[in-house]
Amino acid sequence: MKLIKFFLLLLIVFLLSSTKIFSDENKILVDKISKNLRCLICQGQSVYDSQSEFAISMKLLIKEKLDKGNTEKEIYNFLKNQYGDWIVYDPKFDKKTMLLWGFPLILFIFGGILIFRKVFIY
Amino acid sequence: MIFNNIGYYSLVFGLFISIYLLFFSFFLYIKGKSNNDLNLNIYHFSLIQLFLVILSFICLILCFILSDFSNETVYYNSHTTKPIFYKIAGAWGNHEGSLLLWLLVLTLFIFLFIIKSKSQPKKYRLLSIFFQQIIITGFFLFLLITSNPFDYLFPTPKEGLGLNPILQDPALVIHPPILYLGYVGSSIIFSSSLAALIENNLGTIWAKHIKNWVFVSWIFLTLGILLGSIWAYYELGWGGFWFWDPVENVSLMPWFSLTALLHTILVLEKRQLLKLWTIVLSISTFSLSMSGTFLVRSGILNSVHTFASDPERGVFILIFLFLLIFLAIFIFFFFSKNIEQVKGRNFYWLSKDFSILINNWFMMYFLSVVLIGTVYPIFLEVITSDKISIGPPFYNKLLIPFLIPFLIIMSFGPKLKWIKDRFEMLKLYKILFFFISLIISIFIYEKLGKNNLLISILILAGIYLFLISLIDFFKSKNNLSQNISHFGFSLLILSIILNSFFSSEFSSNMKIGDQIEFENKIIKFSKIESKKGSNYNSIVANFTIEDKNKRVTNFFPEIRIYNQPNIMTSEADIKTSIFYDKFFVVNLLKNETYFNVRYQVKSFMVWIWISTLLIALGGFIGLVKKIR
């Protein structure tokens, strides 16, 4: 028990001490948005992670748009119009992606029914 | 030259032996004499087969060491100035060599299987060998027809093209062999479970025997994934360790399936239930491992791993894979009728067996999320020619809500008794732990802001499992293996969450002499030095970071310019400590006076590795206990 208490204390002290300074609201938003964008010229990297020229100019573009007062959603929509759905890592729910979002959930429900039948009915 | 020929002909003879064993084991099976000893020829020929493949593999390594560029594989993947260590590792750092390694592990495992299965019925063993030899023959043919590692090149070039520098790395030297041990182990489980199904041999004895193989593959698969992740972290230069990249997913899918099998096999052993489900999981684990190889090798995936791809080979594996799956499904439907199904209510809702069912339920869900996220974009593009990307947001949305109940169930499921347990009053310490977890998660919720309610609940569940398994560790030592793995899992989830929320980053363009302030620290770019490695020149940048207490840390990130092939890589300088990693990396910009500088403080990084090691360690302890 002592060990647990010690560890908890350590954890809390650490969490308290590691305050993140939110100096620039927009910078955080740029990071957040660019993490959700695919770097189109890279192999499986996000814009945030990449240092390619495409990614760097993309980050600048996002920053400009934010400074102009565009919202996050508007920026995604703008980029989707420019580059297609390929650029965002978060596929929207529509006719095309119904199965993508639905399949695991349907499977989960189906599995649940199977288990329920096995355990409670018979 | 000479080794080239020895290597090649070893493979050809290996193929002949494989075909011989294939027919011979089937013939003996049909003849079906009841004496319990295996024909000695099977031992001998398997040993010779193993020897031939080892010989061929050594020959390939020798070709690499001697830089024999008359061998096409060596020519494409090696260079005389490459350090000897990477010359050797280059032997499996390419498509042909890595397949030879697959084959080596396949033949090694079947030989070990023959030795280790002496207590099992003869007909079952013969049939397992037969199925395993089908796979081995397929791989021999695949290797010799589409990807011969010993192709001859004339005229002999003076110099090779060199190995991709990002592969010249210690973690990547052992990553493929370890991962393959996991993948190939699943092939033994596959063959053996088909044989057991046909022989109607699915019971406690079989479960005990195959459990060792399940554990072995599971440990190696876990470690293989870990190594790949560590490599991505420090070598790819962006400080991430998991990106839901298709190739990463492909190694995770068999892991889910195998983890489900690892639990199900316990039910089969203790209660002789879930027989057919065990077979389904064995088949799916192996199919997922094989299709993983297919997806990676075919170049269908857009990923960091596509350095080694060729569509034609993909078609071969695809056909081979379909044949195997078809065979498995056929056998399954034909012989599953013979298996006695215990009728009636076999599972009581408060029992260990039931909690294992729940584990399987969630594992299959996680598997389906990763599976559809990986293949959906491919199918969508083929059918509608629309391209979509599926990344972290998709997986977070579908996985996090389900991880919460999963962790909670993990915290009490293992402690329930088999068959039927009684409901007891909650012990005081459990309630206490719940409140401790609640307080910490509320605290974190306050800190993270209002958008992260779900994450905070996940933290609650994670801390609860963490505390419960920690106290179990001290209280009872009867199931150490399970305890350590589950503890590791809770630690992993917590570390990943804390890592993603409490990491900070600084990124800017700097030139020599620049000095920038960041979170009360001063980052200073003092100078660059040049250094020469055996096959690269590097620029070492010297940075100092001074914090508010005037403590100075030095960082020496490198930019390496490899001479052959001419590729630039960034080597991060990482300072690891208990609570955070400091990750410093620089990139060269076009105009060359400025460097792109990236400094990240990554919380709990080392705990992600440690917790995964703990998960694997739990498996290892379980295995050792069983063998002893």
Side-chain angles (χ1 to χ4, degrees), chain B residues 124 127 131 191-202 206 275-276 279-280 283 328-339:
Chain B
Y124 153 78
L127 211 51
F131 286 126
S191 308
S192 138
S193 60
L194 286 185
L197 175 67
I198 293 176
E199 282 297 298
N200 204 345
N201 189 22
L202 293 160
W206 180 75
K275 289 179 181 172
L276 291 180
I279 305 294
V280 171
I283 295 172
I329 291 175
F330 177 76
I331 289 172
F332 184 80
F333 280 107
F334 201 78
F335 288 94
S336 60
K337 283 174 282 180
N338 303 344
I339 304 293

Side-chain angles (χ1 to χ4, degrees), chain A residues 30-87:
Chain A
V30 171
D31 285 356
K32 189 185 163 207
I33 295 172
S34 61
K35 272 181 191 169
N36 284 339
L37 297 176
R38 179 190 285 276
C39 166
L40 294 178
I41 59 164
C42 317
Q43 291 267 320
Q45 270 189 336
S46 70
V47 166
Y48 173 80
D49 292 319
S50 170
Q51 301 297 333
S52 65
E53 266 168 51
F54 174 84
I56 290 168
S57 58
M58 186 62 80
K59 279 178 232 178
L60 278 176
L61 179 84
I62 299 168
K63 197 176 170 317
E64 273 170 29
K65 291 248 165 209
L66 284 172
D67 289 342
K68 267 192 216 157
N70 288 23
T71 63
E72 206 182 322
K73 220 173 191 165
E74 284 168 1
I75 294 173
Y76 287 136
N77 286 336
F78 170 78
L79 290 173
K80 273 193 235 169
N81 280 333
Q82 289 270 308
Y83 300 98
D85 287 346
W86 172 242
I87 195 163

Side-chain angles (χ1 to χ4, degrees), chain B residues 381-497:
Chain B
E381 196 182 341
V382 171
I383 294 166
T384 67
S385 74
D386 283 328
K387 280 177 107 178
I388 59 164
S389 297
I390 293 170
F394 171 79
Y395 295 100
N396 289 344
K397 276 178 200 164
L398 284 182
L399 294 182
I400 289 171
F402 289 84
L403 268 173
I404 296 166
F406 184 70
L407 289 175
I408 302 265
I409 292 164
M410 253 176 110
S411 66
F412 63 79
K415 279 184 298 210
L416 295 173
K417 293 196 182 76
W418 289 102
I419 302 176
K420 190 170 181 176
D421 202 345
R422 279 184 310 123
F423 189 75
E424 285 173 34
M425 281 299 288
L426 283 173
K427 295 228 174 66
L428 188 66
Y429 78 92
K430 288 187 182 166
I431 300 170
L432 185 73
F433 279 173
F434 183 77
F435 278 105
I436 295 174
S437 321
L438 188 67
I439 291 164
I440 298 176
S441 60
I442 288 174
F443 178 77
I444 292 176
Y445 175 64
E446 291 285 308
K447 216 170 166 60
L448 291 183
K450 305 296 167 215
N451 295 327
N452 295 301
L453 181 63
L454 212 54
I455 290 284
S456 308
I457 302 174
L458 182 60
I459 290 176
L460 168 83
I463 295 175
Y464 186 66
L465 175 59
F466 176 85
L467 293 174
I468 291 280
S469 41
L470 197 66
I471 200 88
D472 280 354
F473 180 75
F474 290 108
K475 264 176 58 182
S476 64
K477 291 202 166 56
N478 55 2
N479 203 345
L480 195 63
S481 132
Q482 169 267 317
N483 187 223
I484 290 182
S485 286
H486 283 204
F487 175 70
F489 190 74
S490 70
L491 191 60
L492 177 66
I493 299 287
L494 288 176
S495 319
I496 290 173
I497 299 170

Side-chain angles (χ1 to χ4, degrees), chain A residues 43 45 48 86 90 96 108, chain B residues 238 303 376 389 505 598:
Chain A
Q43 291 267 320
Q45 270 189 336
Y48 173 80
W86 172 242
D90 193 6
K96 276 188 319 208
F108 187 76
Chain B
W238 40 271
S303 136
Y376 199 80
S389 297
E505 155 164 349
R598 204 156 210 221

Side-chain angles (χ1 to χ4, degrees), chain A residues 99-116:
Chain A
L99 202 62
L100 173 70
W101 290 97
F103 172 75
L105 296 170
I106 292 168
L107 199 84
F108 187 76
I109 294 167
F110 181 70
I113 293 170
L114 273 183
I115 290 176
F116 186 83

